[in-house]
Amino acid sequence: MTDQSKQDLRCFHCGLPVPDGLELSVEIDHQAQPMCCKGCEAVAMAIVAGGMESYYQYRTEKSTTAKELVPDMLRQTEVYDREEVQRSFVRQSDENIREASLILEGIDCAACVWLNEQHIKGLPGVLEAQVNYSTHRARVAWDERKIKLSDILKAVAEIGYIAHPYDPSQHHQILEKQRKDYLKRLGLAGALGMQVMMFSIAMYNGDWWGMEQKYRTFIEWVSLLLTLPVFLYSGWPFYRAAWRDIRHRRAGMDVPISLGIIIAFGGSLYAMTGAGGHVYFDSVVMFIFFLLTARYLELVARKKASEHTEALIQSQATTAIRELSGNETEVVAAQELEAGDIVQVRPGETIPSDGEVIEGRSSIDESLLSGESRPCLKQAGAKVIGGSINIESPLRIRVTEIGQETVLSTILRLVERAQSEKPAIARLADRVAGHFVAAILLLAVVVAIYWYLKDPTQWLAITISVLVVTCPCALSLATPAAITAATGTLIRQGLLCSRGYALETLARVNHFIFDKTGTLTDGQLEIIQVLQLSDDLSEDACLLQAASLEALSEHPVARAFIKSCKTGLLAVDNLSSTPGSGLAGRINGKQFFLGSMQYIQQQTGLELKDNQSNRLEPGSRVLLSDQNDLLAIFVLQDAIRDQAAPLIDDLRQAGIQSLLFSGDDETAVSLVAEKLGIKDYRSSMLPADKLQQLRALQQQGATVAMLGDGINDAPVLAGADVSIAMGEGARYAAAAADMVLFRQDLNVIFRGVTTARKMMRVIRQNLSWALAYNIIALPLAAAGYIQPWMAALGMSASSLIVVANAMRLTK
């Protein structure tokens, strides 16, 4: 762009000149348009986000200046303190505790992650701060009474980074901008570096065969002119990051890299002034070229590793058609919806928020959320999830959940937590890498002094090699790259990790506890027999009493009773529930009990007679009684899932022992255990009994996983080393479970185990490679066996090998 065209560059929004050196733009109608200030940028982004880009096509004149159009607050970070702005990206766990996902610009290495985490955690009022190196996203929780979000953003800016709330489209623009920036710098380094390498070959031949000084001097000056743009422009990201680390007294990974480049360039200039010695312009351009190549490929790999998570984020609808009074509708931003709003969703459109179908019948594609490839039929009364796609027919939907309370937002929040939390092996690697750089700088000084005293002609080249050949980057990349790739792979299959340690623990599991109803079985219980024990109540009357007691329960047993009852339910007073045992309540002034035989005995003292139990079919037994008599016995059966037997067999072959813990009676539990080949099973267990048995296993040294429905089994899920919730329990997973099975396919459980074990193998391979490489390369470099350009190539290759190995987990 010419100087004149730069001066003529005007803001697309307000028409004022764009200040020199300012690079702000907003994508409008698929084209990046320049902006003159943050205010215009914010307004333009709001217009685009609201689906009103046509405003720019039909306006008759440029907008008024940003100062007149936008409040001063909007141009400052205080805008993010406003409730209406926070609504789209802040989750409020209680009145004052808030949590948000932020994007950090300027992250170059693990040292940047450490610096930001420590700086943010040190702010008064910040409760938690975790940064994911793979996605550059930070999860921050704070107390609104003690600190504002704007204060956190300003604090990040003070240490040289840029933080802003996560926005999918803006994040994509940042990644694309970063990719293009790397490409430009890489292209320049490659084009000019090839020329410098050709001249260096001539100089190396001259060292061997001889060369006149005037030709050597000419080649050195030409090499300097070609190296200078690469040194200043292509190498600038490394110097900037290194200076930021030095200012904050932190030895980041870019510090030795930058020192190596600067010393090589400075030493070459010194040699050209008449001091004599070699010039290392070829090493300078190769350093920068190889390092930029590694950074660029790492950026692409990080983007690929998190692509499924990004796809989930992109699936969120931006607009919705909301119904108004008088059969009118309006198009609004999806984030403006309120619970209770009625929205219309046409075929092919994305459902804007969680809700309930009130009119229409259509197939819904939930594959991105559940991994289930087949569309699900939805009709009036069915629940739908925001982010899924309506395929066939129009639907009218009543919004039930909004903002951060939707299923999709919960999934994304749990994924962010899992990817930002670090397993023990990752924390160890970070500690090693943190001290590694400081040790390398100290070692480089010792090596430089030694070689300067022993052979002054070699000290510069050897010192440069020592600074560049070491690679703490590989140590820090080893774990986050593998975790991000593994979690993304499992999300695609329908298994969500909500805790960072879940996969590490799952890889070590040797005992797997299963609940029965709704996990190993379909959870679609049916009443196959009703044994009437009293002449006072008919069979239908017994069913009515039982269904009325179960009316408010979500348990599969309750659904079976309600489904079998053919009349309207009765009102129940003083309803009380004992989880895993039974229910009690008053109907028409009379006390009734419904539950297991053990529960009935505890409440009433009544017992089942042998001649009564002998008349029962195999299955789960539920008894109905009043205070004085047993009234009826209901026998329920549940079909075993098709994938249950293969899962138990796969776990057995993997060396994992399966156990069945159930609150059902002996007959029903033994029947399922026998069909699945589970030798260790327990029946008639309360949640407290399950937890006691689980802890007994742990005390014996077992690493225990549990699969349950997440409702009645919440205490046991919380007590397991790693827990998996499925079915209706998925909505409660944030509180109790480490992983959530969204897809009703038990085979995914074993794939989770194999992926976890593979992930740990990859992490160990990466760490072993990184340590072995540094242990071998460092002595060789210090001894003078590695040339500077070889050091740059080795360091870059080490990082790429680690990332490429982690990417195997995405297949």
Side-chain angles (χ1 to χ4, degrees), residues 156-222:
V156 172
E158 288 173 358
I159 59 172
Y161 299 85
I162 300 174
H164 50 79
Y166 178 73
D167 175 75
S169 60
Q170 188 176 5
H171 182 48
H172 178 74
Q173 290 179 16
I174 292 170
L175 286 178
E176 190 62 19
K177 180 181 177 181
Q178 189 176 6
R179 187 186 70 84
K180 290 179 179 178
D181 183 64
Y182 274 137
L183 273 180
K184 287 188 291 185
R185 297 179 191 275
L186 183 60
L188 179 67
L192 298 184
M194 286 188 292
Q195 312 304 317
V196 175
M197 288 301 294
M198 286 192 294
F199 283 116
S200 68
I201 292 173
M203 295 182 67
Y204 289 137
N205 284 330
D207 291 339
W208 186 261
W209 300 104
M211 176 184 291
E212 293 184 31
Q213 185 60 40
K214 62 179 181 180
Y215 294 120
R216 178 178 294 276
T217 302
F218 173 75
I219 291 175
E220 288 177 350
W221 278 101
V222 172

Side-chain angles (χ1 to χ4, degrees), residues 517-518 521-527 556 559-560 563 637-639 641:
T517 305
T521 63
D522 286 329
Q524 302 297 324
L525 286 166
E526 292 186 358
I527 299 175
R559 291 196 290 269
K563 180 181 177 181
Q637 280 190 356
D638 189 6
R641 293 182 188 269

Side-chain angles (χ1 to χ4, degrees), residues 590-664:
K590 187 175 183 180
Q591 185 76 7
F592 288 91
F593 303 92
L594 181 72
S596 64
M597 186 67 249
Q598 184 179 2
Y599 174 78
I600 297 297
Q601 288 176 342
Q602 290 174 349
Q603 300 296 322
T604 65
L606 300 172
E607 294 185 2
L608 190 64
K609 299 176 182 178
D610 290 339
N611 64 333
Q612 294 172 330
S613 59
N614 293 337
R615 296 155 56 191
L616 298 174
E617 298 287 339
S620 301
R621 300 172 182 180
V622 178
L623 283 71
L624 175 70
S625 79
D626 57 22
Q627 196 68 52
N628 301 312
D629 298 298
L630 292 175
L631 303 177
I633 305 174
F634 306 95
V635 179
L636 297 87
Q637 280 190 356
D638 189 6
I640 297 175
R641 293 182 188 269
D642 295 335
Q643 313 91 13
L647 171 63
I648 301 300
D649 188 53
D650 287 339
L651 291 175
R652 185 184 302 111
Q653 294 182 25
I656 300 174
Q657 181 181 346
S658 297
L659 303 92
L660 177 57
F661 288 2
S662 177
D664 277 350

Side-chain angles (χ1 to χ4, degrees), residues 2-283:
T2 65
D3 293 339
Q4 182 62 36
S5 61
K6 285 182 179 179
Q7 293 174 359
D8 294 341
L9 188 64
R10 291 183 172 272
C11 177
F12 186 77
H13 182 77
C14 72
L16 291 178
V18 176
D20 292 339
L22 184 67
E23 295 183 3
L24 292 177
S25 64
V26 174
E27 188 171 337
I28 300 173
D29 290 329
H30 308 293
Q31 184 174 352
Q33 301 293 355
M35 298 289 152
C36 68
C37 66
K38 284 286 186 181
C40 287
E41 181 191 42
V43 174
M45 288 179 64
I47 291 173
V48 172
M52 298 178 287
E53 294 178 68
S54 57
Y55 160 80
Y56 291 107
Q57 299 176 10
Y58 301 114
R59 63 180 177 178
T60 56
E61 60 181 10
K62 296 287 185 181
S63 304
T64 54
T65 65
K67 184 174 181 180
E68 295 171 344
L69 182 64
V70 186
D72 291 340
M73 181 192 307
L74 198 59
R75 291 195 293 274
Q76 308 296 328
T77 55
E78 281 82 358
V79 67
Y80 294 119
D81 294 333
R82 295 165 59 182
E83 293 287 342
E84 60 271 26
V85 176
Q86 288 190 0
R87 178 180 170 185
S88 63
F89 66 91
V90 172
R91 179 174 179 267
Q92 196 166 336
S93 56
D94 62 32
E95 185 177 353
N96 297 302
I97 307 303
R98 304 189 180 187
E99 182 180 309
S101 179
L102 308 176
I103 281 294
L104 296 180
E105 296 185 46
I107 296 289
D108 295 310
C109 65
C112 301
V113 172
W114 181 90
L115 178 62
N116 277 278
E117 284 185 345
Q118 299 306 311
H119 186 68
I120 297 173
K121 285 179 181 178
L123 299 174
V126 172
L127 307 177
E128 185 179 12
Q130 294 177 327
V131 180
N132 181 359
Y133 177 66
S134 294
T135 60
H136 292 186
R137 284 211 293 271
R139 186 169 61 89
V140 180
W142 71 95
D143 188 335
E144 186 72 10
R145 294 168 297 184
K146 299 179 181 178
I147 192 171
K148 300 293 184 182
L149 178 57
S150 59
D151 297 326
I152 298 174
L153 302 182
K154 290 174 184 176
V156 172
E158 288 173 358
I159 59 172
Y161 299 85
I162 300 174
H164 50 79
Y166 178 73
D167 175 75
S169 60
Q170 188 176 5
H171 182 48
H172 178 74
Q173 290 179 16
I174 292 170
L175 286 178
E176 190 62 19
K177 180 181 177 181
Q178 189 176 6
R179 187 186 70 84
K180 290 179 179 178
D181 183 64
Y182 274 137
L183 273 180
K184 287 188 291 185
R185 297 179 191 275
L186 183 60
L188 179 67
L192 298 184
M194 286 188 292
Q195 312 304 317
V196 175
M197 288 301 294
M198 286 192 294
F199 283 116
S200 68
I201 292 173
M203 295 182 67
Y204 289 137
N205 284 330
D207 291 339
W208 186 261
W209 300 104
M211 176 184 291
E212 293 184 31
Q213 185 60 40
K214 62 179 181 180
Y215 294 120
R216 178 178 294 276
T217 302
F218 173 75
I219 291 175
E220 288 177 350
W221 278 101
V222 172
S223 297
L224 171 61
L225 293 174
L226 292 171
T227 302
L228 200 58
V230 178
F231 176 75
L232 295 176
Y233 176 71
S234 299
W236 176 248
F238 305 111
Y239 316 142
R240 180 181 56 202
W243 175 243
R244 183 176 56 212
D245 290 337
I246 292 170
R247 280 194 301 118
H248 295 95
R249 300 178 182 179
R250 171 73 181 171
M253 297 175 191
D254 286 319
V255 173
I257 289 172
S258 299
L259 281 176
I261 295 172
I262 293 171
I263 290 174
F265 187 80
S268 300
L269 285 180
Y270 180 72
M272 288 177 60
T273 60
H278 292 285
V279 294
Y280 298 98
F281 295 126
D282 57 330
S283 296

